Amino acid sequence: MTPVHDRTAWLQGGKAVCLQPPTRVDRIWRLVLLGPPGSGKGTQAELLAHSLGACALSTGDVFRAARGHPAPPGSAMAVAQEQMARGELVTDNSVLALIRERGRCLRCSGGFMLDGFPRTLAQAEAIDALLVAENLQLDAVVSYELPTPEIIARLSGRRTCPACKSVFHVETCPPKREAVCDRCGGALVQREDDRPEAIQVRLEAYQSATVPLAAHYQKKGLLFPISAAGLPAEILARTLDALAIRVLGL
Ligand code: AMP
């Protein structure tokens, strides 16, 4: 049976609860997905969620979901949204406050796949401490790799549906009707942070803040580098093979 993934508690935080708790899974997976913007890790997170039964938890989705509720000027969320629109990283303090508010999702009996978190060493150390305190362990850190020119081509042509989150690409995966979502008929948009000036800032942030995480997880023996070239189904197959071989020893 395909597991049901309700992320209400993740997206809303606080006292929000999932409407449908996780279905029973054979194995509980706790993964971190690393990769530059445009490497397709969000798509892989969704595909892995269906294959492995754990929820895909994206910090970027939380910031985007909060957009619908205007934050008071100067508040942490308002500042975070301005940083995000420019392609900058949101401060560690804001991100960690958001994660702590959602601690239950990390303790969830269905496991988790973290997409877009941690993104700095400080965040990685904070999640390490949080998991130790809960007596939980990561199974693997999957690191998606893609050459920069391909990243830029993917990001600049990406169009997303704000209503159902479907993702298209103007050249490689165009919608049937221009700028209209095939799945729900919503109007497709270009994410503010997919504009060329923001892409540049995001790539620089990835190089300086997130690339060092690979060494952090390599030392722990958790790092699985995976090529993010090709079709989503091919990348998924590569990821599942790596997990089966390296984690399950199959
Ligand atoms: P994403 O959807 O993961 O590409 O995230 C979109 C944007 O949200 C990023 O460019 C950052 O501005 C912000 N963001 C998401 N997650 C984090 C994080 N863990 N640390 C800092 N900023 C983040």
Side-chain angles (χ1 to χ4, degrees):
M1 193 177 86
T2 306
V4 175
H5 296 104
D6 173 52
R7 279 174 292 195
T8 308
W10 175 254
L11 292 175
Q12 296 177 5
K15 294 194 170 54
V17 287
C18 291
L19 302 175
Q20 281 174 299
T23 44
R24 235 181 93 75
V25 287
D26 297 335
R27 190 196 194 283
I28 299 172
W29 287 92
R30 296 190 178 91
L31 303 177
V32 165
L33 307 184
L34 289 182
S39 60
K41 79 188 144 44
T43 303
Q44 290 305 311
E46 297 297 330
L47 295 173
L48 286 166
H50 287 284
S51 301
L52 302 178
C55 269
L57 305 177
S58 149
T59 37
D61 278 351
V62 177
F63 292 125
R64 277 184 287 277
R67 281 231 191 95
H69 315 279
S75 66
M77 188 48 89
V79 173
Q81 287 178 2
E82 288 161 19
Q83 289 167 323
M84 188 174 161
R86 290 192 295 264
E88 295 165 10
L89 291 186
V90 172
T91 58
D92 286 336
N93 280 348
S94 297
V95 176
L96 292 174
L98 179 151
I99 294 289
R100 291 201 182 94
E101 215 194 34
R102 290 160 173 76
R104 264 182 310 160
C105 291
L106 301 181
R107 293 189 290 274
C108 177
S109 60
F112 57 73
M113 272 165 305
L114 299 180
D115 162 13
F117 176 85
R119 252 175 160 100
T120 65
L121 263 183
Q123 292 179 17
E125 284 162 3
I127 187 89
D128 288 350
L130 224 138
L131 294 177
V132 167
E134 298 291 342
N135 203 17
L136 298 172
Q137 281 171 351
L138 287 178
D139 294 296
V141 174
V142 179
S143 180
Y144 290 108
E145 298 180 344
L146 198 67
T148 306
E150 200 166 327
I151 292 173
I152 294 173
R154 280 193 190 178
L155 287 177
S156 47
R158 179 161 74 174
R159 299 292 180 269
T160 57
C161 174
C164 74
K165 283 188 59 194
S166 293
V167 180
F168 300 85
H169 189 280
V170 288
E171 276 161 22
T172 56
C173 179
K176 289 192 188 89
R177 281 174 53 209
E178 201 187 326
V180 178
C181 176
D182 288 352
R183 191 157 141 204
C184 76
L188 299 180
V189 298
Q190 181 172 40
R191 271 170 50 168
E192 262 179 317
D193 56 355
D194 281 346
R195 285 172 295 112
E197 59 277 24
I199 291 175
Q200 200 50 43
V201 178
R202 287 164 75 198
L203 289 176
E204 282 163 19
Y206 184 77
Q207 277 303 324
S208 61
T210 312
V211 166
L213 296 193
H216 175 81
Y217 288 118
Q218 174 98 57
K219 272 188 223 139
K220 292 174 180 280
L222 288 171
L223 191 74
F224 290 27
I226 303 278
S227 161
L231 296 172
E234 293 165 348
I235 305 164
L236 174 69
R238 253 175 244 147
T239 310
L240 292 175
D241 280 353
L243 293 175
I245 295 164
R246 305 252 317 257
V247 178
L248 301 181
L250 298 176

